[in-house]
Amino acid sequence: MPTALITGASRGIGRAIAQRLAADGYSVIINYQQSAAAAEQLCRRIRQEGGQAAAIAADVSQPEAVAQLFAQIQELCPGPDLLVNNAGIAHFGLISDISFVEWRRIFAVNVDGAFNCIQAALPYMIHQKNGVIINISSIWGLVGASCEAAYSASKGALIALTKALAKELGPSHIRVNCVAPGVIDTAMNSRLNPDEIAALKEETPLGCLGSPEDVAAAVSWLASPQARFITGQVISPNGGFTIC
């Protein structure tokens, strides 16, 4: 049974991805930082549905924590066949108001976290001459968002990282792709008021917000043999909000 590691998987998009990959036949490793109860509840649910799951805490922005995470993974299996870099944090505010500490924290989680996990996963994938890496970016990494400069910049960095790694790792038969969701109905968007939600729906040609399951479906396809000739690409489930 192949193994998938999903970072930031205790809730929202990460949770939906873990559930979908478990249904696809992966043994899933649910990484979380603080939401232990939610992560364990998700593991129980997956097991009840006949899947295999384990929850492991780690702050992926810290190299030492990622080293410990992968040491625990190796107690369960040789290494992840699929890495989904989903852990991320957002920030809303004027660029003139954000502190350097806040700026660095956003990049530490959103970009350094992916870097740390990729470096840790690669020895196994390269040895196997096989593997899939999927980075979860954002529509704002593609087109930018007012008052979300730091978040947009960090998610844009993930897109650039995806494209560069696809070229670097292709000879080792490791595929690297990116999913850049549009406006998704998650807790991260709970700051939006009903009028703002209505405006976003009106701007979206399909007339609705996306769900975490919509993102999970894109990840599932990119991880599957049906996408074996797809690498270095950005898939954006966004309802037509932007068409690049």
Side-chain angles (χ1 to χ4, degrees):
M1 177 181 289
T3 299
L5 166 62
I6 308 99
T7 67
S10 63
R11 57 194 177 92
I13 289 172
R15 180 184 180 91
I17 292 170
Q19 288 179 291
R20 177 61 182 261
L21 292 176
D24 288 345
Y26 283 89
S27 174
V28 296
I29 297 170
I30 297 160
N31 160 254
Y32 67 96
Q33 184 179 357
Q34 296 177 326
S35 305
E40 291 296 344
Q41 188 274 338
L42 177 56
C43 280
R44 288 193 297 272
R45 177 171 178 176
I46 288 172
R47 292 177 191 135
Q48 288 168 357
E49 294 173 353
Q52 294 186 15
I56 304 178
D59 178 354
V60 295
S61 72
Q62 301 301 314
E64 299 82 4
V66 171
Q68 181 62 30
L69 166 64
F70 275 78
Q72 291 178 263
I73 290 172
Q74 287 169 357
E75 293 176 2
L76 304 172
C77 65
D81 303 284
L82 166 62
L83 168 63
V84 182
N85 288 306
N86 171 74
I89 57 175
H91 180 275
F92 186 82
L94 296 172
I95 187 68
S96 56
D97 293 337
I98 187 171
S99 70
F100 180 73
V101 171
E102 290 172 318
W103 174 274
R104 277 304 315 144
R105 179 58 182 163
I106 291 164
F107 272 80
V109 176
N110 296 1
V111 184
D112 298 353
F115 165 77
N116 292 333
C117 290
I118 289 166
Q119 273 206 329
L122 278 182
Y124 172 71
M125 290 185 177
I126 290 173
H127 177 74
Q128 295 293 105
K129 293 290 183 183
N130 187 54
V132 178
I133 298 169
I134 299 174
N135 297 317
I136 305 301
S137 178
S138 166
I139 191 175
W140 307 133
L142 286 167
V143 300
S146 176
C147 294
E148 294 191 66
Y151 181 74
S152 298
S154 70
K155 291 300 188 176
L158 274 182
I159 291 171
L161 177 64
T162 297
K163 294 178 178 181
L165 282 181
K167 295 179 178 180
E168 182 175 330
L169 300 177
S172 295
H173 303 287
I174 297 168
R175 296 190 297 107
V176 188
N177 288 293
C178 186
V179 177
V183 184
I184 306 298
D185 189 9
T186 65
M188 187 177 283
N189 288 317
S190 61
R191 63 175 176 77
L192 300 172
N193 63 45
D195 289 341
E196 290 170 325
I197 293 291
L200 287 168
K201 288 180 179 179
E202 188 173 340
E203 288 182 65
T204 303
L206 290 182
C208 63
L209 302 188
S211 72
E213 289 73 24
D214 293 323
V215 183
V219 171
S220 173
W221 180 74
L222 285 172
S224 74
Q226 284 72 35
R228 69 170 197 86
F229 201 51
I230 306 295
T231 195
Q233 303 305 307
V234 182
I235 305 298
S236 184
N238 64 53
F241 191 89
T242 65
I243 299 174
C244 299

